[in-house]
Amino acid sequence: TQLLEQSPQFLSIQEGENLTVYCNSSSVFSSLQWYRQEPGEGPVLLVTVVTGGEVKKLKRLTFQFGDARKDSSLHITAAQPGDTGLYLCAAGTSYGKLTFGQGTILTVHP
Amino acid sequence: EADIYQTPRYLVIGTGKKITLECSQTMGHDKMYWYQQDPGMELHLIHYSYGVNSTEKGDLSSESTVSRIRTEHFPLTLESARPSHTSQYLCASSESPGVADTQYFGPGTRLTVL
């Protein structure tokens, strides 16, 4: 059973379009992170959200943590080819360990 | 910018060989982790450590072993590599206590066993 469900699994869009990636669970988390990973590299942290209802913005990226701290979303406005990559959500479990969603592969075509 | 390093970046070896994947971090983090990841897929935790002389197995069973003799160094060893071990191996570290379990990742080692 997947603790964190990410959707969609694949997303292929044109430059300039908007998109939203979802991360859902039946469990409550104390925090949730979003990472972006490029091929052949390790994941790089984008944001950490800790408060239910929290919204964080990072340039064209908007992250939201659900009120009940069971879900999160990542919204990208006016996507660019440089946004292409694997987006992973992750939540803390016990003793600092993280469990990861299965990821969303985003491809932005010029 | 995270200071965590992995070597080699790419490794192609034959079945039955013993290999060690190196991971080092210069941030003084107590917690370190090893993940296994197939291309474009989720990360699976195979080993973790909370400090020197502390190692634990992760959620995904692995035939590899790890050691933590120094804070900055967390090598992973496969005694006899098999084609089923072909994957990307990612090392990470985090502070203890830290901000909301944030982990910093190395660039990974892509292992291919023929």
Side-chain angles (χ1 to χ4, degrees):
Chain A
T1 301
Q2 186 70 29
L3 190 60
L4 284 173
E5 295 281 350
Q6 267 187 256
S7 62
Q9 191 172 355
F10 300 96
L11 198 52
S12 180
I13 62 172
Q14 293 297 126
E15 182 176 2
E17 293 183 20
N18 301 332
L19 66 111
T20 302
V21 178
Y22 300 93
C23 180
N24 297 301
S25 175
S26 58
S27 303
V28 177
F29 297 111
S30 57
S31 68
L32 194 139
Q33 289 92 47
W34 284 93
Y35 291 82
R36 177 170 166 266
Q37 184 180 20
E38 296 189 32
E41 298 294 331
V44 175
L45 179 71
L46 295 174
V47 77
T48 298
V49 285
V50 297
T51 306
E54 182 177 4
V55 176
K56 281 192 175 180
K57 292 194 174 185
L58 185 66
K59 297 183 181 178
R60 294 177 294 101
L61 279 60
T62 302
F63 304 86
Q64 186 161 8
F65 201 15
D67 291 339
R69 291 186 287 125
K70 293 183 179 181
D71 56 273
S72 180
S73 64
L74 157 60
H75 182 79
I76 301 179
T77 303
Q80 298 176 0
D83 295 327
T84 293
L86 174 67
Y87 289 81
L88 295 155
C89 66
T93 54
S94 58
Y95 304 106
K97 292 190 291 181
L98 289 178
T99 188
F100 284 82
Q102 67 267 55
T104 295
I105 297 175
L106 170 65
T107 305
V108 182
H109 301 281
Chain B
E1 188 82 15
D3 295 318
I4 181 164
Y5 309 97
Q6 289 185 246
T7 57
R9 293 291 312 274
Y10 304 92
L11 183 60
V12 181
I13 59 168
T15 297
K17 298 291 186 183
K18 177 180 178 179
I19 61 165
T20 296
L21 307 184
E22 301 290 347
C23 176
S24 295
Q25 51 96 4
T26 59
M27 297 171 284
H29 289 171
D30 287 326
K31 297 179 184 175
M32 296 189 74
Y33 313 83
W34 276 104
Y35 293 89
Q36 187 172 338
Q37 182 188 32
D38 290 325
M41 302 295 286
E42 66 199 284
L43 280 69
H44 294 284
L45 181 68
I46 52 175
H47 298 283
Y48 60 100
S49 167
Y50 291 144
V52 171
N53 295 324
S54 153
T55 61
E56 301 286 346
K57 289 192 178 294
D59 305 319
L60 180 68
S61 176
S62 174
E63 295 168 345
S64 58
T65 59
V66 292
S67 62
R68 190 87 183 276
I69 299 173
R70 304 197 316 265
T71 298
E72 62 271 22
H73 195 214
F74 191 39
L76 180 146
T77 298
L78 272 167
E79 290 293 332
S80 180
R82 294 205 303 270
S84 61
H85 296 138
T86 294
S87 189
Q88 168 135 309
Y89 292 83
L90 291 159
C91 181
S93 70
S94 65
E95 294 180 83
S96 176
V99 177
D101 308 315
T102 300
Q103 294 185 10
Y104 300 92
F105 285 83
T109 294
R110 179 162 297 284
L111 172 66
T112 302
V113 184
L114 304 175

